[in-house]
């Protein structure tokens, strides 16, 4: 993306200026008393992690106090089929082979999204979590093999390679820093790469009795999944039918059928909403409002749904079931480790158990934190505000929580029941230790660098190759604004900054960064992305002026009209609006703002220090220390 330094004699200012003030981004929430509201307040990540933990505890208690009831229950045979076509499953296999395919399907959807429009679209931004993830795969496996050498189960190194994404995100929400935004993005991107590695290893290392013919049929089904996107209607039933057929082919091929979920998900299209689709949906909604009837309601609902990619619709639809049903059931079916004295004594002396504990706790920490530390030392990749070494250390420790896929590979890699129990003890112990270590690291980090202190200084220095800079790069005075194009107080601040520029001229450098308050201004994010799309044609500040000039009309059609007014190539502008680079550029500024606890706009940094108090021209000049500059008018 092209950014530029503006050197004209005046800032491109709008004509109207509202009253001064400020607006908070996080309005107070009313108190709720119901259990459902309490669960909703936890958020899906925390609630899902708590359910996963509860299911684990129940499974352990059930396996230890119920005699053989736990094993007998999960070995219950089921028959599914029609006429002569029948499949026989145990309850345990149904969970691990069928329900877990849905989990891996959502993992695949997330992988697809991150590579298409998410964090992994920019190589410079992605290389940090990618390299950290690769090191986090290799180092634990190496440590496990070294510790388990001679046990006969060195080949079970796959148990220690994977981080449990659900527990990772839930644990970060429970014990992580108060504002974990950029760390969360880093860990999610790392988890995506981690999942790709783990799934590949399951496919190539832990697959037995391979039969290529069903896999060829699966390839035909996957081709059908890809081309289903071109059907005008009824795509949902076609996707579902082909998905079942592909899953059955994987099952017959000997390749673990859960991988069918990943393969299907990678072929599901993902894209950012198209302006024309959004406008069409709005038009149908207006038609329904004018003449409410069933047909218009159906058309409006379908149009709104179709404006969002099926990838994101499926994630939104399936995520609650995965978090609240599938993963807890998986834990219930797989975490039932018997913890009698004999098994614990065996685990304490087992090279497999210790290999897993050391691989997950030490290996993940050394691999992830060590790789990111080396990249920071050699200035490779992009580390934004919030990704401090101490926070990265806490995140690296959390990566040692290897639960879902680790337990999954235990059954694939180990056939001895006693050794399986020892391995499960190792997975549970390692996950608990990793959680405790991460908690300690985060508490020490937060105590050493309180949020209030870190937010007083501009965390990311101005970069003319990245930032939108108005004025000379050599100017002695600098104002950086985190703003929102729909915020009336940002409009007021822009007027004050113009007055300061009139006084100081080339002595002032002004920088705009995005902090759209979407909870207050629904169109603010779209406006920020429009400004970034305009910047790719060298007209960021022209678009800034156009957006400020009419803050009440910033719908997609209004934005396209302004693009034409300021002389942009409208087709290119519309294409750029949908690009992941534009969305990523705005998201980076938002994460920077979050790392500095910016919750209201405008937030100004004057010569690198946060400004508290009024932002009229006279106060700004005083804060800059420029009261004695030649040409300043006396007040």
């Amino acid at each position: 993306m092209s950014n530029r330094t503006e050197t004209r004699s005046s800032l491109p200012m709008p004509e109207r200026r509202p009253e001064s003030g400020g607006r908070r981004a996080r309005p107070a929430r009313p108190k709720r008393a119901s259990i459902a509201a309490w669960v909703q307040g936890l958020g899906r990540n925390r609630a899902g992690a708590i359910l996963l933990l509860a299911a684990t505890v129940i499974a352990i208690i059930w396996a230890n106090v119920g005699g053989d009831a736990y094993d007998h229950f999960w070995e219950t045979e089921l028959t599914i089929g029609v006429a002569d076509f029948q499949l026989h499953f145990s309850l345990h296999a149904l969970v691990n082979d069928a329900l877990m395919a849905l989990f891996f399907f959502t993992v695949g959807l997330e992988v697809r999204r991150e590579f298409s429009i998410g964090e992994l679209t920019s190589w410079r931004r992605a290389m940090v979590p990618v390299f950290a993830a690769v090191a986090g795969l290799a180092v634990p496996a190496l440590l496990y093999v070294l510790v388990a050498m001679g046990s006969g189960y060195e080949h079970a190194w796959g148990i220690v390679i994977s981080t449990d994404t659900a527990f990772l995100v839930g644990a970060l929400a429970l014990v992580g820093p108060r504002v974990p935004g950029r760390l969360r993005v880093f860990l999610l991107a790392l988890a995506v790469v981690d999942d790709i590695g783990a799934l590949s290893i399951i496919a190539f290392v832990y697959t037995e009795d391979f039969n290529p013919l069903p896999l060829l049929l699966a390839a035909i089904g996957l081709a059908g999944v890809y081309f289903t996107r071109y059907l005008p209607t009824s795509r949902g039933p076609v996707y579902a039918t082909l998905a079942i057929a592909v899953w059955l082919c994987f099952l017959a091929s000997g390749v673990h059928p859960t991988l069918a979920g990943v393969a299907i998900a990678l072929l599901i299209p993902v894209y950012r909403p198209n302006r024309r689709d959004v406008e069409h949906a709005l038009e149908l909604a207006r038609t329904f409002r004018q003449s409410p009837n069933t047909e218009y309601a159906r058309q409006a609902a379908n149009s709104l749904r179709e404006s969002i990619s099926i990838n994101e619709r499926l994630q939104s639809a399936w995520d609650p079931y995965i978090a609240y049903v599938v993963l807890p059931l998986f834990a219930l079916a797989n975490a039932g480790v018997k913890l009698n004295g004999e098994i614990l004594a065996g685990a304490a002396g087992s090279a497999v158990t210790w290999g897993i504990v050391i691989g997950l706790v030490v290996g993940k920490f050394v691999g992830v934190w060590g790789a990111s530390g080396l990249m920071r030392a050699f200035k490779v990749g992009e580390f934004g505000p919030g990704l401090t070494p101490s926070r990265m250390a806490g995140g690296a420790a959390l990566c040692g929580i290897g639960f879902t896929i680790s337990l999954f590979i235990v059954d694939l890699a180990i056939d001895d029941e006693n050794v399986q129990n020892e391995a499960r003890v190792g997975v549970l112990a390692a996950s608990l230790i990793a959680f405790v270590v991460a908690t300690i690291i985060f508490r020490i980090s937060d105590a050493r660098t309180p949020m209030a202190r870190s937010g007083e200084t501009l965390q990311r220095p101005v970069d003319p190759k990245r930032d939108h800079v108005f004025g000379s790069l050599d100017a002695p005075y600098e104002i950086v604004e985190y703003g929102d194009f729909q915020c009336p107080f940002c409009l007021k601040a822009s007027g004050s900054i113009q007055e300061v520029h009139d006084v100081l001229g080339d002595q002032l450098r002004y920088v705009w960064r995005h902090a759209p308050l979407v909870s207050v201004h629904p169109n603010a994010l779209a406006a920020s992305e429009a400004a970034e799309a305009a910047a790719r044609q060298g007209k960021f500040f022209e678009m800034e002026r156009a957006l400020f000039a009419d803050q009440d009309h910033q719908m997609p059609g209004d934005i396209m009209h302004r693009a034409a007014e300021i002389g942009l190539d409208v087709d290119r502008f519309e294409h750029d609006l949908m690009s992941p680079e534009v969305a990523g550029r705005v998201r980076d500024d938002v994460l920077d703002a979050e790392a500095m606890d910016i919750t209201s706009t405008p937030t100004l940094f004057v010569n690198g220090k946060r400004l508290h108090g009024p932002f009229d021209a006279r106060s700004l000049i005083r804060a800059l220390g420029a009261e004695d500059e030649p040409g300043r008018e006396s007040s």
Side-chain angles (χ1 to χ4, degrees), residues 170-194:
L172 182 65
L174 287 170
V175 302
R178 188 166 69 87
V179 183
R182 198 175 291 276
L183 177 62
R184 186 176 185 277
V185 171
F186 166 80
L187 290 176
L188 280 175
L190 182 148
V192 166
V193 181
D194 184 279

Side-chain angles (χ1 to χ4, degrees), residues 160 195 203 262 544 568 594 623 627:
V160 301
D195 286 337
V262 180
E544 177 194 52
L568 293 177
E594 186 181 86
E627 290 182 293

Side-chain angles (χ1 to χ4, degrees), residues 433-448:
I433 294 169
F435 179 80
V436 172
V437 170
T439 302
I440 294 172
I441 292 174
F442 282 131
R443 293 296 170 266
I444 294 174
S445 172
D446 287 348
R448 293 179 58 186

Side-chain angles (χ1 to χ4, degrees), residues 369 388-395 441-442 445 448-449:
W369 195 53
T388 61
S390 58
R391 285 191 175 184
M392 294 282 281
I441 292 174
F442 282 131
S445 172
R448 293 179 58 186
T449 311

